[in-house]
Amino acid sequence: MHNKTNLLIAGLLSSTFIASVALAAGTHPTTGEALADDQTFTYRILDEHSSVDPQVVEDVSGAEIVRDLFEGLMNQDRDGNLVPGVATGFTTNDTNDVYTFTLRDTAKWSNGDPVLASDFVYGWKRAVDPELSSPYSWFMELMSIENAAAIIAGDKPVDDLGVTAVDDHTLEVRLSAPLPYFPQMTTHATTFPAPQKVIEAHGDAWTKPENMVSNGAYILTEHLPQERSVRERNTMYWDNENTIVDKVVALVINDENVALTRYMAGELDRTEVPAGQFPRLQQENPAEAISFPRLCNYYYTFNLSEDGPEAFKDPRVRQALSLAVDRKIITEKILAGGQPEAYTFAPEATAGFTVPQVEMSAMTQAERDSLAKELLAEAGYGPDNPLSFNMIYNTSESHKKIAVALGQMWKQKLGVQTDLGNLEWKVFLDTRGNQDFDLARGAWCGDYNEASTFLDLLQSDSGYNDGKFQNDRVDELLAAAKISANTAELYTEVEQILAQESPVIPIYHYAGVYMMDSDVGNWPVDNVEQNWYSKDLYKIAE
Amino acid sequence: MIAFIIRRLLVAIPTILILIVASFFLMHFAPGGPFTSERPLPPQVLANIEARYGLDQPLWKQLYDYLFNIIVHFDFGPSFKFKDRDVNDIIAQGFPISFTYGSLSFLAATVVGVSLGIAAAIRHNTWIDYFAVGLGIAAQALPNFIMGPILILTFTLWLGLLPGGGWNGGQWPYLIMPVIALSTSYMGSIARITRSSMLEVLNSNFIRTAHAKGLPTRTVIWRHALKPTLLPVVSYLGPVFVYVLTGSVFVDIYFSTGGLGQAYVGSALSRDYAVLLGVTILYGTLTVVVNLLTDLAYAWFDPKIRY
């Protein structure tokens, strides 16, 4: 036994040594590319992140930082597939409502303590605890964890949450209903473990760099609010020896044009491309201007509530307006960043979702326009009875350009009069949420990579259904999809109904449009959720 | 004079109180709340969050608690957006940044502006005058939102001499562009005010008398003309000082300084009531104090002025 242990240690040491030698020699251990001496990755974030507390963070840039600082049960690879994180794997019971995760025994917190199943239990209970009032507690409810909803509502104690540490390295999760994509949801920051001792010792200040203890590949070493946050290698991380990037710097730059200038000056490795500038940048820097599909949609929603305009209660009017939108002009002339045109609500990039062939997508724009005129005339609108309505969007140059283009298309093709309303973000949300509009801009990015993250928005009782669309068959299909292992047909039928009923006008699906330094290796362009991990990146020698 | 200062300070207290109450109600009556989001929170989650921040209380109780915490504990409360930070933290971090480059901008604008104005007036209708006037007009025509892009394109992108933004502890390479961007326009105004004021003073009888007494020009200007010349300049500098500290929103955002202006705008957009109110109070207090200092400076420059 003793000899075996020695052999194991010797083996581990030698493999570490080989890996270290490979990295020290400046070549990537897998690809053989020459590595840069300075392994610092610097990127731009639009705004200061709300928090780096995994159970509290609610914005995208905050979640990106949290994914580096903490590690959940499962991670995603460069294609968005599930790969082991702290958990090496999981099993389910026969009824698919109990998941059991096995945790690796080499996982450690940055202070050297082992990461235990109880750390996950603490983190998850924290997420639903009304006392913390996490803005993402609803995510735990969405995960169907037993009693989550009742605990959030204050009807049950936190200890009733359906999660148990069976032993130090075994975590059991009980669901109130089978959820086929439950493991995918464990890559979300809300489900990451939390260090109880540290949180209890420092309270809200536990996330300050001097106090913070985390279990991810990086630790927070500097945070200058509104300016920068810096994370550096966590030597305690179980896979530290295979991590290449030493330091990650997130710079807050509110103005995207300034960010682009600073990128051009070599201060950044990555920034977003402002709308319309992609073709020029691609021509000038073909290796650095990149565009790839994202898991987000952009649409306009009709107000179908009782307060909504009478005209929109007629599906022919809605369909006519949708048909007359020349999506190619919007994607190619206005945005020009490689965004795909949208004829369905869920993007093609969604995992396990095949975009159904809806009638509109197979037509030419001339055919669509012609049909739009017919439908509008049938509905009783034309020169003698012109259709007019207001449409609202929130402050942004590209939203404005798209709204103006839509208004012009409808005016020229159908003689429809639109009044545009540009509203400040919070006012916009209030106005849209109170159905105080005729037609409103909307957009959605998936919380997880499955079509229901989009289609659920159009369920009758969804809190996000601002247009108040109601269709019993859609509700039935979506309810069935929750417990079905084969959802393709269900989702196809939902999309077909949406194409017929047109409660929304899908305009385009998002693309990630970046300037990315060609020295950055392994950026996960095929991960449509853009759940990226700095530990998977590397900087190539120039 | 001391009685005047005490009187002004006593007036300042109700002024700031009115400012707080008015801002408090305006914020709460504005559409959209701090937790209004694209993904509307389930009612129970929203209720939990509102209870945590005391937003479930009647407005009068919220105002009372807010004032009580400020007066008794000097605590401006927690930020609604940044969960691990409070308003005191945010002000303590952002204000020194805004103050540093704001003060330097003020200093640069005043020193260069006054010097240009005096030089132009003394060398009236010479090339120095034309140059100073031309420079003043050009500077006035370049407000910070025009200067910002010009500076970044020139010094960062083309010449590669200065970093395009950030603060980095206020090291000088990070200070240069914000200071130039913020001071240029004010510098032009100060130069023009100084020039016209100096010209007026130089044409007045007491200056003619001083010359007639045989005093050298230098003495006439420095001892007799300068103080009255600066009176209108001082009345302009008071508000300018507040503007450069509070009106630096663009510079904060454009140069990513991390200053308070950025936090102020962010808090207004995210309806972070506590931060918005805290910064409003700070700016209000600063305005009152600077106005008081301006009045005192007035009295020093012109002893005839009595309060």
Side-chain angles (χ1 to χ4, degrees), chain B residues 204-247:
Chain B
S204 53
N205 289 336
F206 76 96
I207 295 293
R208 222 168 288 137
T209 309
H211 279 301
K213 277 163 62 183
L215 287 175
T217 305
R218 182 176 297 183
T219 310
V220 172
I221 288 168
W222 288 106
R223 190 170 296 168
H224 298 285
L226 194 60
K227 267 192 174 184
T229 294
L230 290 181
L231 263 179
V233 180
V234 166
S235 64
Y236 177 72
L237 289 182
V240 165
F241 188 61
V242 180
Y243 292 151
V244 293
L245 296 187
T246 60

Side-chain angles (χ1 to χ4, degrees), chain A residues 233-296:
Chain A
R233 289 268 287 271
N234 174 9
T235 52
M236 291 291 170
Y237 180 59
W238 63 270
D239 201 22
N240 183 44
E241 68 192 50
N242 290 317
T243 303
I244 298 175
V245 167
D246 291 323
K247 187 174 174 183
V248 188
V249 183
L251 296 181
V252 180
I253 306 173
N254 297 143
D255 188 306
E256 57 182 4
N257 287 302
V258 175
L260 184 60
T261 307
R262 291 180 68 179
Y263 173 86
M264 294 298 189
E267 292 180 32
L268 298 166
D269 293 312
R270 193 206 86 175
T271 190
E272 290 79 9
V273 172
Q277 297 201 37
F278 184 70
R280 175 181 66 84
L281 292 166
Q282 197 181 34
Q283 203 169 21
E284 291 168 4
N285 304 287
E288 299 186 18
I290 57 171
S291 171
F292 50 88
R294 291 290 316 274
L295 195 66
C296 307

Side-chain angles (χ1 to χ4, degrees), chain A residues 207 227 254 267 424 430 447, chain B residues 32 39 84 164 167 262 271:
Chain A
T207 50
E227 196 207 340
N254 297 143
E267 292 180 32
E424 186 267 345
D430 251 13
D447 288 313
Chain B
R39 295 156 193 244
D84 49 0
W167 185 245
Q262 204 172 347
R271 307 292 191 273

Side-chain angles (χ1 to χ4, degrees), chain A residues 143-164:
Chain A
M143 291 173 82
S144 303
I145 302 173
E146 193 177 82
N147 295 328
I151 296 166
I152 293 165
D155 296 336
K156 284 196 172 177
V158 172
D159 285 337
D160 284 2
L161 189 70
V163 57
T164 309

Side-chain angles (χ1 to χ4, degrees), chain B:
Chain B
M1 180 62 76
I2 291 170
F4 165 73
I5 294 172
I6 293 170
R7 214 165 50 235
R8 284 290 298 266
L9 287 174
L10 286 175
V11 172
I13 293 168
T15 306
I16 291 169
L17 269 176
I18 291 169
L19 175 75
I20 295 174
V21 173
S23 307
F24 181 87
F25 284 108
L26 276 174
M27 276 181 332
H28 280 81
F29 292 140
F35 308 110
T36 307
S37 79
E38 192 163 26
R39 295 156 193 244
L41 296 170
Q44 195 55 50
V45 176
L46 184 62
N48 290 343
I49 296 176
E50 289 188 338
R52 179 179 161 98
Y53 292 103
L55 296 175
D56 55 341
Q57 303 291 323
L59 269 187
W60 69 265
K61 176 78 165 55
Q62 289 181 43
L63 179 62
Y64 172 82
D65 289 345
Y66 185 75
L67 289 173
F68 182 83
N69 277 330
I70 293 178
I71 294 164
V72 178
H73 304 295
F74 201 67
D75 178 5
F76 287 81
S79 162
F80 295 171
K81 185 179 176 193
F82 304 111
K83 307 291 191 260
D84 49 0
R85 301 172 66 204
D86 57 31
V87 181
N88 293 30
D89 257 2
I90 289 170
I91 291 176
Q93 182 267 326
F95 185 63
I97 295 173
S98 299
F99 187 82
T100 303
Y101 75 76
S103 307
L104 288 173
S105 305
F106 178 77
L107 203 67
T110 308
V111 170
V112 178
V114 168
S115 305
L116 271 179
I118 290 174
I122 293 172
R123 300 279 181 255
H124 188 43
N125 282 339
T126 65
W127 70 268
I128 295 177
D129 186 18
Y130 302 143
F131 172 76
V133 169
L135 200 66
I137 292 171
Q140 257 188 313
L142 290 170
N144 52 28
F145 58 86
I146 295 182
M147 278 303 284
I150 294 174
L151 289 169
I152 289 192
L153 285 175
T154 309
F155 292 106
T156 305
L157 199 59
W158 294 334
L159 300 176
L161 292 175
L162 295 172
W167 185 245
N168 223 0
Q171 289 175 28
W172 69 266
Y174 293 84
L175 273 169
I176 293 175
M177 290 199 291
V179 168
I180 295 175
L182 190 54
S183 59
T184 316
S185 172
Y186 294 120
M187 188 195 80
S189 305
I190 292 169
R192 298 189 72 192
I193 294 169
T194 309
R195 178 183 174 274
S196 54
S197 173
M198 184 68 139
L199 281 176
E200 199 180 321
V201 171
L202 288 179
N203 286 326
S204 53
N205 289 336
F206 76 96
I207 295 293
R208 222 168 288 137
T209 309
H211 279 301
K213 277 163 62 183
L215 287 175
T217 305
R218 182 176 297 183
T219 310
V220 172
I221 288 168
W222 288 106
R223 190 170 296 168
H224 298 285
L226 194 60
K227 267 192 174 184
T229 294
L230 290 181
L231 263 179
V233 180
V234 166
S235 64
Y236 177 72
L237 289 182
V240 165
F241 188 61
V242 180
Y243 292 151
V244 293
L245 296 187
T246 60
S248 53
V249 170
F250 172 81
V251 173
D252 273 338
I253 291 174
Y254 209 74
F255 293 101
S256 308
T257 60
L260 208 50
Q262 204 172 347
Y264 197 32
V265 171
S267 65
L269 294 177
S270 61
R271 307 292 191 273
D272 193 339
Y273 298 150
V275 176
L276 195 55
L277 210 48
V279 181
T280 302
I281 293 168
L282 175 74
Y283 286 171
T285 309
L286 207 63
T287 306
V288 168
V289 170
V290 170
N291 279 336
L292 177 63
L293 292 176
T294 308
D295 287 348
L296 294 178
Y298 237 78
W300 183 77
F301 277 108
D302 186 357
K304 283 184 295 183
I305 296 171
R306 288 286 173 268
Y307 294 99

Side-chain angles (χ1 to χ4, degrees), chain A residues 343-354:
Chain A
Y343 300 96
T344 57
F345 198 57
E348 188 175 4
T350 314
F353 175 73
T354 308

Side-chain angles (χ1 to χ4, degrees), chain A residues 75-150:
Chain A
N75 292 335
Q76 285 184 0
D77 67 8
R78 55 172 291 144
D79 299 325
N81 300 316
L82 273 190
V83 292
V86 172
T88 52
F90 60 86
T91 56
T92 57
N93 64 348
D94 293 340
T95 47
N96 277 334
D97 55 3
V98 176
Y99 282 83
T100 306
F101 292 86
T102 306
L103 275 51
R104 69 179 74 242
D105 53 12
T106 51
K108 284 182 182 168
W109 291 98
S110 52
N111 63 1
D113 289 348
V115 178
L116 305 175
S118 55
D119 295 320
F120 282 91
V121 174
Y122 175 71
W124 290 27
K125 285 183 177 172
R126 204 171 163 254
V128 293
D129 192 340
E131 201 181 324
L132 182 72
S133 58
S134 162
Y136 251 74
S137 56
W138 59 267
F139 191 78
M140 305 303 272
E141 199 176 330
L142 197 68
M143 291 173 82
S144 303
I145 302 173
E146 193 177 82
N147 295 328

